[in-house]
Amino acid sequence: MHTNNTISSSIADIHLAVEILQQGGLVAFPTETVYGLGADASNARALQKLYAIKGRPTNHPVIVHLADIEQLSEWGQDIPPIAFELGNAFWPGPLTLILRRRETVLDEVTGGQGTVGVRIPDHPVALALLKQFGRGVAAPSANRFGRLSPTRADHVRADLGHDIDYILDGGPCTIGVESTIIDLTQDFPTILRPGMISLADLNKFLGIETETATSKTTIRVPGALPSHYAPNTPLEIVPLAQLPEKIEQYQQENISVALLTCAPFKTNLPPSHRVLGSNTPQHYAQTLYANLRQLDTLGCQRILVEAVPNEGLWQAVFNRLQRAANTFASIQGEATHV
Ligand code: TXA
Ligand code: MG
């Protein structure tokens, strides 16, 4: 595998990455949300390789990354005007639109569904790659299926380094959690995954743009929480007020604990076992996956995470923490996979 050692990828690096994509290879690249593992979205064999390396079930669809909104009609059909309005308002940016697929779109992209997910990422390296490649790049997050998403090139190297052809290094991701996904193929726009473009941002936008249908454009977040984005260490979410007794309980049971809180927290846990998130959802999200990775390397028996609000921009963080905790719950038989 070739890797470049500079933080910002050079023009030569992007050139090489484009050649690898053209030859059916796999290239990890930075986006503003998380690193993606890219393959030519029109090359079935490249996509099959991508699924195999990720260890991802083949009925899971992948997002097609584009450089320009003009390319939408190559992937979607019967595209509603709202798709172009949302794209013009939020792209490049952390928003994925689900559209009806064109018949030419490969089943390997759509997971055999009648829909396709598309987005234009807001990262100079990703945009340069997509522009030069000129076609759609299918890219799930560049991690093994079900594990934590990578937000730095060295995360990708650690997870997939030996199995992929190239890693473009664009520094740490600025958003840190995956894009907001909005399904535009139903009667009403529906959020399938919350992200840092919030429900309020979208509601405001849709409300303004569709005056007569304001009451119909209510967005619902499905309650289903598949286990996903999980560290290896069982993770539990605990309200701040209950943290002291929870830590004490585990210490009495000789269960080793690592801790992630929003603000400094007084405890007798060793400093190496404590990680500070942030009081703001933007900063918390930016470092969430790197923080969980760090706590995961300690080899503790539990990661305890201070509960965060399920509102506003915190919803994106709340959702990822719930999913990470769900893996633990499902091991204990308390939750079902979706
Ligand atoms: O921010 C992001 O979205 C990152 C970066 C790399 O762009 N990508 C990402 O991809 O998170 P991935 O594959 O890890 O998650 C994509 C999600 C999956 O949950 C998948 O089910 C959903 O998007 N998805 C993709 N196409 C879909 C479709 N046609 N219908 C419904 N869901 C879809
Ligand atoms: Mg993923």
Side-chain angles (χ1 to χ4, degrees):
M1 188 194 59
H2 331 258
T3 49
N4 58 325
N5 295 317
T6 51
I7 282 289
S8 273
S9 301
S10 69
I11 291 169
D13 296 328
I14 288 168
H15 218 77
L16 178 55
V18 167
E19 277 175 15
I20 292 170
L21 288 177
Q22 285 166 342
Q23 289 159 14
L26 303 182
V27 173
F29 63 96
T31 80
E32 78 281 36
T33 58
V34 301
Y35 274 72
L37 180 58
D40 179 351
S42 313
N43 181 334
R45 286 186 59 182
L47 291 162
Q48 284 154 13
K49 197 159 65 182
L50 189 150
Y51 275 87
I53 284 169
K54 250 197 86 100
R56 182 178 179 132
T58 47
N59 60 355
H60 273 238
V62 282
I63 296 169
V64 178
H65 295 69
L66 305 173
D68 198 294
I69 198 165
E70 299 282 303
Q71 293 167 285
L72 265 196
S73 53
E74 293 167 28
W75 300 91
Q77 66 178 359
D78 306 328
I79 304 173
I82 192 68
F84 292 97
E85 289 161 19
L86 283 167
N88 282 322
F90 293 104
W91 283 342
L95 182 69
T96 295
L97 305 181
I98 306 296
L99 307 171
R100 283 185 213 297
R101 71 189 274 190
R102 272 183 77 144
E103 264 139 42
T104 46
V105 182
L106 295 172
D107 280 342
E108 282 83 355
V109 168
T110 65
Q113 302 187 48
T115 57
V116 62
V118 288
R119 93 173 183 101
I120 302 178
D122 187 15
H123 192 291
V125 174
L127 286 172
L129 176 75
L130 292 165
K131 254 186 205 128
Q132 269 197 45
F133 183 62
R135 302 203 303 270
V137 172
S141 50
N143 53 282
R144 309 251 181 225
F145 183 65
R147 311 311 317 179
L148 295 170
S149 294
T151 51
R152 297 200 314 240
D154 58 315
H155 295 162
V156 182
R157 226 165 265 140
D159 278 2
L160 302 171
H162 296 293
D163 293 334
I164 63 180
D165 299 300
Y166 198 55
I167 301 173
L168 282 169
D169 189 339
C173 301
T174 51
I175 299 275
V177 293
E178 302 81 354
S179 59
T180 305
I181 302 182
I182 184 164
D183 185 353
L184 301 176
T185 67
Q186 309 297 313
D187 288 345
F188 312 119
T190 304
I191 289 200
L192 301 181
R193 180 174 70 185
M196 296 309 270
I197 289 178
S198 72
L199 194 67
D201 296 333
L202 290 168
N203 262 338
K204 200 166 127 195
F205 183 83
L206 295 169
I208 291 163
E209 291 303 312
T210 56
E211 246 169 29
T212 54
T214 311
S215 62
K216 291 187 176 176
T217 52
T218 320
I219 296 165
R220 60 192 166 82
V221 180
L225 288 169
S227 84
H228 230 116
Y229 314 110
N232 289 309
T233 316
L235 182 148
E236 275 179 76
I237 301 167
V238 182
L240 181 60
Q242 287 163 31
L243 265 182
E245 60 176 299
K246 195 80 187 174
I247 292 169
E248 201 186 311
Q249 180 204 323
Y250 279 138
Q251 283 178 333
Q252 275 170 12
E253 293 170 17
N254 268 329
I255 291 173
S256 54
V257 167
L259 181 66
L260 172 59
T261 55
C262 297
F265 178 79
K266 210 164 164 291
T267 167
N268 61 3
L269 287 175
S272 62
H273 286 210
R274 290 180 252 151
V275 166
L276 190 57
S278 169
N279 274 322
T280 72
Q282 289 92 341
H283 286 131
Y284 195 108
Q286 213 171 44
T287 53
L288 171 63
Y289 289 132
N291 284 342
L292 290 179
R293 273 170 194 266
Q294 188 186 329
L295 292 176
D296 212 13
T297 59
L298 296 172
C300 288
Q301 288 158 287
R302 290 286 187 285
I303 295 173
L304 299 184
V305 180
E306 177 188 343
V308 302
N310 185 15
E311 62 192 26
L313 283 176
W314 280 110
Q315 278 191 326
V317 171
F318 180 92
N319 168 274
R320 302 316 184 276
L321 290 175
Q322 286 284 328
R323 290 175 186 230
N326 221 31
T327 299
F328 176 45
S330 67
I331 291 165
Q332 298 193 316
E334 292 168 9
T336 45
H337 285 253
V338 179

